[in-house]
């Protein structure tokens, strides 16, 4: 069966200062490869600086790789750093949802802008889509008239999720998106994510340091260390029998 998302040997370097007038390439990701099926969750874990957030940005098109390919449903959406700009099927949710929202726009304006710039929907169709999407994440239609500062942290994360879902993505990348929530709100958000996954077949790339969450909701697990995959397999298999010292250290902590 063909995977929904296939990442093939993607690599990324950043240029760092090596002297007063020179810069040198620093490898952040090296030959990263994995597959994700429809309706599945893959978790990415690793210590700070392992390349997790860079990988999240590459997957969502917020940055481009230097080498490798990203395929969605068998179609190449990025090849050797060249991205299909029309691909809206991989969406990214950041850790700080409030900082990612424009404080000067209402929620309805933000969602409407996403639709207006990326679809050909009429005003009436956009309004209907906004209403449906807010309902999906457990918010009221009237919330479209509110500004970000009028919401709690849990509601802000739902708004960030609504903004990701408004374009009907196939994959949602969660870059530490649950880390700043208190435990009760995190549990509610996880239940919402699982319900959406069951209802509409969403696939998730979960980047987090909460290992109990990884074990609870992910099907596969990738362990990164200094930009390289040191372990990759079914989540429960990795937890039961970690092979690398890096994985053993992370699980013991």
């Amino acid at each position: 069966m063909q995977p929904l998302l296939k990442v093939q040997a993607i690599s990324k370097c950043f240029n760092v200062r090596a002297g007063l007038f020179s810069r040198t390439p620093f490898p952040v990701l090296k030959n990263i490869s994995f597959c994700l099926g429809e309706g599945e969750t893959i978790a990415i874990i690793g210590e700070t600086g392992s390349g997790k957030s860079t990988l999240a940005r590459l997957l969502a098109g917020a940055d481009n790789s230097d080498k490798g390919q990203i395929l969605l449903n068998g179609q190449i959406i990025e090849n050797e750093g060249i991205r299909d700009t029309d691909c809206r099927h991989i969406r990214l949710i950041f850790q700080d949802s409030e900082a990612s929202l424009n404080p000067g726009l209402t929620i309805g304006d933000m969602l409407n802008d996403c639709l207006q710039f990326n679809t050909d929907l009429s005003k009436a169709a956009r309004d209907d889509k906004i209403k449906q999407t807010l309902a999906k994440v457990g918010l009221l239609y009237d919330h479209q008239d509110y500004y970000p500062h009028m919401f709690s942290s849990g509601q802000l994360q739902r708004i960030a999720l609504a903004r990701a879902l408004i374009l009907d993505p196939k994959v949602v990348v969660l870059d530490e998106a649950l880390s700043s929530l208190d435990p009760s709100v995190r549990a509610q958000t996880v239940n919402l994510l699982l319900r959406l996954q069951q209802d509409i077949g969403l696939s998730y790339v979960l980047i987090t340091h909460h290992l109990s969450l990884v074990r609870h909701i992910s099907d596969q697990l990738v362990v990164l260390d200094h930009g390289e995959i040191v372990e990759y397999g079914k989540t429960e298999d990795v937890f039961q029998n970690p092979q690398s010292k890096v994985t053993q250290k992370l699980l013991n902590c």
Side-chain angles (χ1 to χ4, degrees), residues 164-227:
L165 295 180
I166 196 78
L167 295 177
D168 297 318
K170 300 181 184 299
V171 180
V172 173
V173 182
L174 301 149
D175 184 13
E176 296 284 6
L178 306 174
S179 298
S180 61
L181 303 177
D182 66 59
S184 62
V185 175
R186 186 185 306 131
Q188 293 172 16
T189 308
V190 167
N191 289 336
L192 171 61
L193 292 170
L194 293 175
R195 178 172 60 78
L196 289 169
Q197 189 171 55
Q198 185 174 20
D199 291 347
I200 59 180
L202 272 177
S203 297
Y204 298 121
V205 178
L206 174 67
I207 295 172
T208 184
H209 61 270
H210 288 280
L211 297 183
S212 59
L213 181 61
V214 168
R215 195 168 193 175
H216 177 54
I217 72 172
S218 70
D219 302 287
Q220 299 180 74
L221 178 58
V222 168
V223 183
L224 288 182
D225 182 52
H226 293 93

Side-chain angles (χ1 to χ4, degrees), residues 93-121:
I93 301 178
F94 296 100
Q95 177 177 356
D96 189 346
S97 53
E98 185 172 8
S100 69
L101 301 173
N102 187 332
L105 292 179
T106 66
I107 304 311
D109 286 340
M110 288 184 212
L111 297 178
N112 184 65
D113 284 350
C114 286
L115 293 172
Q116 197 165 9
F117 293 127
N118 293 284
T119 73
D120 297 321
L121 295 177

Side-chain angles (χ1 to χ4, degrees), residues 26-217:
F26 176 78
V28 181
L29 293 173
K30 310 167 194 172
N31 295 314
I32 303 298
S33 300
F34 60 85
C35 295
L36 176 63
E38 183 177 347
E40 291 185 346
T41 299
I42 187 167
I44 314 289
I45 66 171
E47 295 182 332
T48 301
S50 60
K52 303 187 300 297
S53 290
T54 300
L55 178 57
R57 292 175 59 81
L58 294 183
L59 292 175
D63 201 351
N64 296 98
S65 60
D66 297 324
K67 296 180 181 178
Q69 293 181 328
I70 301 175
L71 294 87
L72 193 69
N73 275 333
Q75 301 295 313
I76 297 174
I77 62 170
E78 183 170 321
N79 184 36
E80 302 296 324
I82 300 174
R83 187 78 172 198
D84 176 4
T85 55
D86 192 42
C87 181
R88 301 169 303 216
H89 298 301
I90 304 177
R91 302 281 281 168
L92 176 61
I93 301 178
F94 296 100
Q95 177 177 356
D96 189 346
S97 53
E98 185 172 8
S100 69
L101 301 173
N102 187 332
L105 292 179
T106 66
I107 304 311
D109 286 340
M110 288 184 212
L111 297 178
N112 184 65
D113 284 350
C114 286
L115 293 172
Q116 197 165 9
F117 293 127
N118 293 284
T119 73
D120 297 321
L121 295 177
S122 66
K123 178 66 167 66
R126 293 198 304 270
D127 286 344
D128 188 54
K129 183 68 174 175
I130 291 170
K131 183 177 182 179
Q132 292 177 22
T133 304
L134 289 173
K136 272 183 187 177
V137 300
L139 294 172
L140 301 174
Y141 184 56
D142 289 347
H143 282 139
Q144 70 168 328
D145 298 320
Y146 293 14
Y147 290 88
H149 72 271
M150 302 168 74
F151 293 94
S152 67
S153 60
Q155 288 174 316
L156 287 170
Q157 203 58 277
R158 289 172 184 256
I159 292 164
L161 181 57
R163 189 174 59 176
L165 295 180
I166 196 78
L167 295 177
D168 297 318
K170 300 181 184 299
V171 180
V172 173
V173 182
L174 301 149
D175 184 13
E176 296 284 6
L178 306 174
S179 298
S180 61
L181 303 177
D182 66 59
S184 62
V185 175
R186 186 185 306 131
Q188 293 172 16
T189 308
V190 167
N191 289 336
L192 171 61
L193 292 170
L194 293 175
R195 178 172 60 78
L196 289 169
Q197 189 171 55
Q198 185 174 20
D199 291 347
I200 59 180
L202 272 177
S203 297
Y204 298 121
V205 178
L206 174 67
I207 295 172
T208 184
H209 61 270
H210 288 280
L211 297 183
S212 59
L213 181 61
V214 168
R215 195 168 193 175
H216 177 54
I217 72 172

